Amino acid sequence: MESSGVTLAGSTPVGAQPGEPGLDSLQFGEEIQRLMAVPPENASSFTALLELPAPQAMELLHHAPDPDRVPAMANLSGEPLHKPYPHQTFGSSLTFLSDPALIERAAKYSVFAGEHSPETSSVPSNSSANLEKVKSEPAETDSNPNSSQPLVSDPSVEEKNQRPSAKRKEREKKVRKLKQRGIDRLGFLGFPFLAKFDKSRFQKSEIDHHFCKIQAKASSKKSKNESSQDAQKLPYVHVRARRGQATDSHSLAERARREKINARMKLLQELVPGCNKDKMPLNKIDEDPSFFPSGTTNDGSSVLKSQECNSVLLCDLDPSRSISGTALVLDEIINHVQSLQRQVEFLSMRLAAVNPRIDFNLDSILAIDNGSVMDGNLPNMVSSVMWPEFPINGNRQQFQQQWHFDSLHQPLWGREEDNQTFVTPENSLLTYDSSANSASLHSSQLKMEL
Amino acid sequence: MQNFSQLKQEFLKKWLKGLKICSSPSKKMGILERKNAIKLSADLAMAFARKGRTYWSRAVIAKASRNSNNDMTLIKNASKQRFFQSKKIMKRSQNVHRVLLRNKSLSRKVLPNSMAKRLVKKRTQVLKRLVPGGDQCLDEVSLMRETLDYIISLRAQIDVMRCLAGAK
């Protein structure tokens, strides 16, 4: 948790765009305030900076690529334009980068401030507008402490956050190299404050450590709230451990799998009627073993039993409640699949009964069927297909008369239905009987006639 | 929904073709044979309408091809087979019941969590048996996917069949 907090907090000044100097300087002000909280033994090189009046110090720290000031500093230090580049070239990079750059600059400036104080005092004349801006800032930070991290929810910042850590490491290396080079140059030129600067550089890691800690403390509350959003938005880290969750690869994979299953389950829940999760969930049922008698859920053959049990349960508890809980959802799915399969069976039986021959008038159907499956004209078409012989033979009256013979075939149909164990409402059974019997009689009569 | 109606049309076309093929060899058929032929052709058409992309459609096709070697006799015996199967399942379920009872007597305190897990496991097994080709789904995710697909296609099938059957 702490690490993510650090990245969040550290990336905020980086994410500030160059077009928004106000936000940028605001961030720097915040950082200075934090740096003040660093124990003084670590910040020996900052003491000079801290002695300055706050707006001036911030002005010094505030990194506006000022065309007048940079050459002056370059002339002073004798090195050609080295200093502003790290921040410009890696301006969009990650946390570690900006902070060392800041600290390094601060160290340098502090040294300068100690040695050439008139120079620094002459700087604001070039950028008086900047100074005014900076002056206006501290009031803002005091009055509105929540705005210290205004860009955290900004998607661009988060995208920058999502860069692979390998890149980050590379950049760190680069920065270190650059710094090393700068120090070497300084030493080559024999500047008197080299020892100080080097010392400050060695202290820098410690300072960084403190810095990160403080920032993490400050941002942990906010990042807690935002961690859940981050977990959804991050594209390359699919699973993220929340507080108290395990972070090893096995549990992460397991969590990913569970999430997948849950998503599918939700889809199925929406698809299958009867388990609507929006209403009151019944989570307790599948947790409490006493709800299920032990024999009900053992095997496939007892699904019907468990179904009965479920229905009884649901009726007992509350009819308005609907089902949640994995086991019950699975039950519903099983029942649904079974009912669908039975329906297919039943419909095929019915079709077999209705039609004297298997192939209906195929050509006519195939000719018409494009786009007509969903429409209302299908029934008419199919009826013409189903009973093509009627108008030709003219034996509709015969067909009417054959209804009387239904009673003869009744036992046979009853037996068949027992075998098939159709579960259908009674009226549909009745229609099924009548239509099927008439059809079979009709076919037999046709055969007789032929 | 556009997809759904497309699926229906596809199914209807394939089914009617299959019916034509089924009907040609044998003119005289009992109602049960007819029913089985219709069902088989419908299932096959459904499986082919899914283009063999899913486990269940492949399983249906494989089963049908296995059955077609032994001609219609196997199809005729389908009902008997099922009866036999259900007997077997009943016996097994009784066994499991006994084992469960013994377990319960051994350890009275069954954690509710483990109980729920067992229930879920049982149900997934049943579901695997219900969905054709469910045995090939090794994990729950693919099983869920198969079930979703199967339910959708079954619905399309039922819609079309109902259209044909309830048309008069």
Side-chain angles (χ1 to χ4, degrees):
Chain A
M1 200 61 250
E2 212 168 85
S3 65
S4 72
V6 166
T7 54
L8 275 177
S11 65
T12 40
V14 172
Q17 284 149 18
E20 299 170 344
L23 284 174
D24 205 352
S25 58
L26 190 145
Q27 290 300 321
F28 274 98
E30 180 81 8
E31 277 168 5
I32 283 176
Q33 281 174 359
R34 278 177 193 150
L35 277 175
M36 283 178 180
V38 173
E41 66 266 17
N42 286 332
S44 66
S45 59
F46 289 98
T47 48
L49 180 72
L50 296 181
E51 281 163 6
L52 283 173
Q56 260 191 16
M58 262 187 286
E59 161 56 31
L60 282 174
L61 279 177
H62 180 59
H63 172 73
D66 210 342
D68 291 336
R69 204 175 51 173
V70 167
M73 301 306 285
N75 288 335
L76 245 180
S77 64
E79 59 168 349
L81 295 179
H82 158 66
K83 183 174 16 66
Y85 280 130
H87 204 271
Q88 277 184 345
T89 48
F90 302 109
S92 64
S93 68
L94 291 166
T95 86
F96 242 105
L97 198 61
S98 66
D99 302 340
L102 166 75
I103 291 164
E104 183 188 4
R105 216 180 308 132
K108 276 184 187 174
Y109 275 123
S110 70
V111 167
F112 287 141
E115 287 192 354
H116 312 272
S117 51
E119 214 279 347
T120 49
S121 62
S122 71
V123 167
S125 64
N126 285 334
S127 57
S128 59
N130 235 350
L131 187 66
E132 281 175 13
K133 205 192 306 156
V134 171
K135 268 180 188 170
S136 69
E137 238 90 69
E140 229 180 75
T141 51
D142 290 339
S143 64
N144 196 5
N146 285 336
S147 68
S148 61
Q149 291 184 338
L151 286 176
V152 170
S153 60
D154 198 351
S156 67
V157 174
E158 276 168 359
E159 276 169 24
K160 278 166 190 167
N161 254 342
Q162 292 153 11
R163 286 188 186 167
S165 57
K167 267 190 184 175
R168 193 188 301 170
K169 279 173 188 169
E170 272 182 24
R171 277 184 188 148
E172 275 180 39
K173 274 183 192 171
K174 269 189 191 173
V175 168
R176 264 176 212 157
K177 269 185 192 171
L178 270 176
K179 274 178 204 159
Q180 190 64 46
R181 214 185 299 152
I183 288 163
D184 287 344
R185 272 185 206 159
L186 284 174
F188 201 71
L189 290 169
F191 269 86
F193 53 83
L194 175 66
K196 258 190 189 174
F197 177 69
D198 220 357
K199 197 174 143 197
S200 76
R201 183 180 150 268
F202 281 127
Q203 284 169 351
K204 192 194 59 171
S205 60
E206 273 184 6
I207 295 170
D208 273 350
H209 194 62
H210 276 269
F211 202 67
C212 292
K213 266 191 183 174
I214 292 163
Q215 278 187 337
K217 264 185 205 168
S219 66
S220 62
K221 283 171 194 170
K222 286 163 197 167
S223 59
K224 250 181 231 168
N225 296 330
E226 286 152 4
S227 64
S228 58
Q229 295 173 2
D230 281 355
Q232 290 167 0
K233 283 178 186 174
L234 287 176
Y236 81 99
V237 182
H238 289 296
V239 191
R240 218 177 194 195
R242 300 214 182 87
R243 192 188 183 87
Q245 283 181 328
T247 50
D248 54 324
S249 61
H250 281 289
S251 43
L252 278 182
E254 179 64 20
R255 206 174 302 132
R257 183 181 143 270
R258 247 182 278 138
E259 276 171 13
K260 259 188 194 172
I261 291 176
N262 279 341
R264 294 264 153 72
M265 272 295 205
K266 268 178 195 168
L267 274 180
L268 273 172
Q269 268 181 330
E270 283 166 15
L271 199 66
V272 174
C275 38
N276 193 4
K277 58 168 172 94
D278 295 337
K279 294 177 187 174
M280 292 275 292
L282 276 183
N283 283 326
K284 284 196 174 178
I285 281 185
D286 59 347
E287 286 170 7
D288 198 346
S290 66
F291 270 105
F292 285 108
S294 59
T296 51
T297 57
N298 290 333
D299 214 331
S301 65
S302 55
V303 167
L304 281 177
K305 248 202 252 175
S306 68
Q307 182 183 356
E308 287 171 14
C309 169
N310 271 345
S311 61
V312 167
L313 263 179
L314 291 177
C315 290
D316 276 347
L317 285 168
D318 195 351
S320 70
R321 286 185 175 183
S322 64
I323 301 166
S324 173
T326 326
L328 292 187
V329 169
L330 276 176
D331 253 354
E332 278 306 305
I333 291 165
I334 287 168
N335 287 337
H336 190 63
V337 170
Q338 274 188 335
S339 73
L340 285 178
Q341 282 175 344
R342 266 189 227 120
Q343 260 183 324
V344 168
E345 196 119 335
F346 164 70
L347 279 169
S348 59
M349 190 76 184
R350 188 166 161 180
L351 278 174
V354 164
N355 295 306
R357 288 163 57 210
I358 278 185
D359 54 337
F360 328 126
N361 208 347
L362 292 178
D363 296 332
S364 63
I365 289 184
L366 281 179
I368 310 169
D369 82 329
N370 283 333
S372 69
V373 183
M374 303 291 290
D375 301 344
N377 55 355
L378 182 68
N380 300 328
M381 176 191 79
V382 173
S383 67
S384 68
V385 169
M386 293 288 180
W387 308 100
E389 296 95 342
F390 276 149
I392 303 168
N393 290 343
N395 50 1
R396 190 176 273 274
Q397 287 182 349
Q398 270 182 333
F399 171 66
Q400 294 287 344
Q401 286 168 2
Q402 282 156 6
W403 284 75
H404 302 296
F405 295 105
D406 280 359
S407 57
L408 285 177
H409 292 257
Q410 206 68 19
L412 184 144
W413 280 101
R415 208 178 58 221
E416 271 190 10
E417 273 155 22
D418 283 344
N419 283 339
Q420 299 297 329
T421 63
F422 286 141
V423 183
T424 46
E426 292 214 353
N427 40 6
S428 76
L429 266 183
L430 282 176
T431 59
Y432 166 62
D433 267 357
S434 61
S435 65
N437 279 337
S438 61
S440 64
L441 280 179
H442 181 217
S443 64
S444 62
Q445 230 232 345
L446 276 180
K447 276 177 195 166
M448 290 272 286
E449 281 181 3
L450 289 173
Chain B
M1 276 302 100
Q2 178 62 28
N3 206 359
F4 193 58
S5 63
Q6 275 177 3
L7 179 67
K8 274 187 193 171
Q9 285 180 19
E10 193 83 359
F11 165 66
L12 185 60
K13 273 181 198 169
K14 292 196 164 143
W15 187 32
L16 292 177
K17 274 179 198 164
L19 279 180
K20 210 175 199 175
I21 293 167
C22 275
S23 68
S24 54
S26 56
K27 288 280 178 189
K28 292 176 187 173
M29 287 171 111
I31 186 158
L32 265 182
E33 284 177 18
R34 247 186 287 150
K35 175 235 159 191
N36 280 327
I38 285 175
K39 186 168 183 299
L40 184 69
S41 61
D43 282 346
L44 273 180
M46 203 62 244
F48 278 116
R50 292 312 273 173
K51 287 162 190 164
R53 258 186 239 134
T54 48
Y55 283 121
W56 70 264
S57 54
R58 269 179 255 154
V60 163
I61 293 167
K63 197 180 168 191
S65 65
R66 235 182 291 136
N67 280 358
S68 66
N69 291 337
N70 300 346
D71 217 356
M72 298 297 269
T73 50
L74 255 186
I75 298 175
K76 215 190 271 179
N77 287 341
S79 56
K80 273 183 199 170
Q81 244 182 4
R82 202 205 276 144
F83 189 59
F84 176 66
Q85 246 182 13
S86 67
K87 238 184 191 174
K88 223 187 338 190
I89 290 170
M90 282 297 289
K91 215 181 272 176
R92 209 188 295 154
S93 81
Q94 282 169 354
N95 279 344
V96 172
H97 184 84
R98 234 173 282 144
V99 167
L100 249 187
L101 276 184
R102 216 184 301 145
N103 278 350
K104 264 206 167 174
S105 64
L106 279 178
S107 60
R108 281 262 75 159
K109 286 184 181 177
V110 182
L111 288 175
N113 207 2
S114 71
M115 186 72 185
K117 267 182 194 170
R118 201 185 303 149
L119 291 184
V120 169
K121 207 177 240 176
K122 287 276 149 52
R123 267 143 242 244
T124 46
Q125 279 174 7
V126 173
L127 200 60
K128 270 186 186 178
R129 221 170 298 145
L130 270 182
V131 177
D135 308 329
Q136 294 158 17
C137 302
L138 292 178
D139 54 340
E140 286 186 26
V141 179
S142 59
L143 180 68
M144 289 289 155
R145 201 177 50 220
E146 289 297 306
T147 315
L148 266 175
D149 198 85
Y150 188 56
I151 286 177
I152 287 174
S153 49
L154 269 183
R155 279 193 181 166
Q157 196 179 3
I158 285 171
D159 273 2
V160 172
M161 287 174 99
R162 194 174 280 156
C163 262
L164 282 180
K168 43 178 182 14

